[in-house]
Amino acid sequence: MAITWSPTQILSGAAMTGLSNGNLTALLSTVTFMATVGKQSGKWYWELDTTAASAHSNYCLGVSAIQHDQATLCWQLSYGVGWRGDSAIVNASTIRFNAATVGASPVGCIVGIAFDANLKRVWFARNNVWVMSGDPANNVNPAVDAVAHSWFLGSLFFPSCSPMYSTTAHFASADFTYTPPTGFSALTEPSDWTGLVGRASST
């Protein structure tokens, strides 16, 4: 079945509002949307269309662990990390890399996210240019490295976003604008998340 933003919270099952376009487009600034599929191993790639977005510190895209409280933004707790609209990469409400270091904005473009679930490493790209000289295919210069920084907690992770502006997910390879880095694949079912609260069954 198609992978989308989950219309209900992953853990509680509470309804999520602000979704359209078959649950692929999200628009609500005060929550974190998480995908219907979570991964704890493997190398994964997806894209987010942010061409309708504008720079704002509440806007962010990233990866969140299953423990993340979806009533908060994806960068506010230790269970998530986000590339914010002001260009900073933030976790637990702390700026880990400022705008000057990142050198690119995640809005008004196609954002590529490469996630190595084994190493808990994340790379962000703007229109196929990886920020901070990242090279996920060769495991070089990740934007997030939980091996070196213990601030990215959790073991089961989901694509996530807190979209103050309309943001559309491209989870299926047929929808990608760019080719995934070598070794990374489009998200697939079944999910490593086997519970059925907050996500559709893969059967």
Side-chain angles (χ1 to χ4, degrees), residues 59-85:
Y59 183 88
C60 70
L61 315 166
V63 181
S64 296
I66 193 171
Q67 298 97 323
H68 184 80
D69 181 356
Q70 290 183 250
T72 66
L73 303 178
C74 64
W75 53 266
Q76 289 183 312
L77 305 179
S78 296
Y79 294 110
V81 62
W83 187 14
R84 290 197 320 198

Side-chain angles (χ1 to χ4, degrees), residues 126-199:
R126 176 185 171 86
N127 291 335
N128 210 35
V129 177
W130 298 96
V131 303
M132 298 189 293
S133 301
D135 182 358
N138 291 297
N139 195 26
V140 173
N141 294 334
V144 178
D145 182 359
V147 173
H149 309 93
S150 61
W151 42 266
F152 192 26
L153 303 178
S155 59
L156 176 58
F157 298 92
F158 297 76
S160 65
C161 72
S162 297
M164 184 165 199
Y165 306 93
S166 178
T167 298
T168 298
H170 297 165
F171 293 132
S173 57
D175 296 328
F176 290 164
T177 301
Y178 302 106
T179 301
T182 301
F184 289 77
S185 302
L187 291 170
T188 58
E189 286 276 13
S191 172
D192 290 343
W193 167 229
T194 56
L196 295 181
V197 174
R199 66 177 299 275

